[in-house]
Each structure stands twice: as C-alpha cells, then as structure tokens.
Amino acid sequence: MTYVALPSPPTGLRIAMSHDTLLDAGVHCFDARGVARRFRHAAIFGALEALHPGETMRFFNDHNPLPLIAQLRDRFGDRLTFSYRKTDPDLTVIDIGVTDPAATTQDKHANGGCCGSCG
C-alpha cells in the first residue's frame, strides 16, 4: 500500500479546522487538492455516496468548483446542501451536507407545504 502526503493547509486555517472538526461530529474532511485532477470527481462522488443522512463533507479545493456543484445537483438532487465556509483565489472550503429525502418531504408537509407529489 502506498501513502501520499497531502499538502498542509495554511497555518491560520489549520487552527480553525481543528476547532471545527473536533467539535462537529459527522463532519468529514475531503481535500481535493491532494487528488489527481482526472480522479477528483469520481472520488468526490464516491465519498458523498458513503455519507449517511446528517453527515457533512468539508470539501477543500484550489478553486470554486461550480461545474462540480452542478453535476452533484444533477446526480443527488435535493439530498445535498452547500454552505461556503471560505472563498479565496487559491482555496475554497464548502460544507456539503447529506439530508434524508424522507425527512425533507415530511418537513414540507408538517409546515403546511407540499412536496410537489401530492397532486
């Protein structure tokens, strides 16, 4: 088995990361900067498919991944939430949360709304 060392985040970010990730159960870091570009999207899809509802992937990238987000929305629909934590020219950090589709439908009905399939 071969291990690859990933680049370290900037010092100021490391402090924030260790604070956030230690306190937030269910948050899993994924640093795409250490993954070869041709494998990134497949690795990200696989990582998100492994998460359970209520868990979050804290995604680190070297640019704002707008095409990837569009692909994720096409593939996962409303099961994912996106929350930008940091946007710099060379570092973007996004929390990608996985929701439970059944809970989302129940919540919409509980609030007097409709999921769109009621007819």
Side-chain angles (χ1 to χ4, degrees):
M1 182 176 288
T2 304
Y3 294 94
V4 177
L6 299 178
S8 297
T11 305
L13 184 60
R14 180 178 293 137
I15 294 167
M17 280 176 33
S18 62
H19 171 72
D20 290 346
T21 56
L22 289 176
L23 295 178
D24 296 340
V27 176
H28 307 281
C29 292
F30 185 100
D31 192 341
R33 298 170 298 173
V35 178
R37 288 190 185 274
R38 66 184 182 144
F39 300 126
R40 281 187 185 180
H41 286 205
I44 294 161
F45 293 148
L48 287 169
E49 287 170 355
L51 294 179
H52 299 287
E55 293 183 318
T56 298
M57 180 172 78
R58 181 150 302 148
F59 177 72
F60 298 83
N61 202 23
D62 55 7
H63 64 278
N64 190 355
L66 295 176
L68 170 66
I69 291 173
Q71 288 178 342
L72 292 172
R73 286 191 170 135
D74 286 344
R75 184 173 184 147
F76 292 95
D78 291 338
R79 288 187 46 224
L80 299 180
T81 61
F82 300 88
S83 176
Y84 279 80
R85 297 183 62 88
K86 184 175 186 77
T87 54
D88 283 343
D90 57 350
L91 176 64
T92 298
V93 181
I94 305 170
D95 278 356
I96 304 174
V98 178
T99 63
D100 182 356
T104 302
T105 300
Q106 290 172 357
D107 287 345
K108 289 181 182 176
H109 287 119
N111 294 328
C114 179
C115 65
S117 63
C118 298

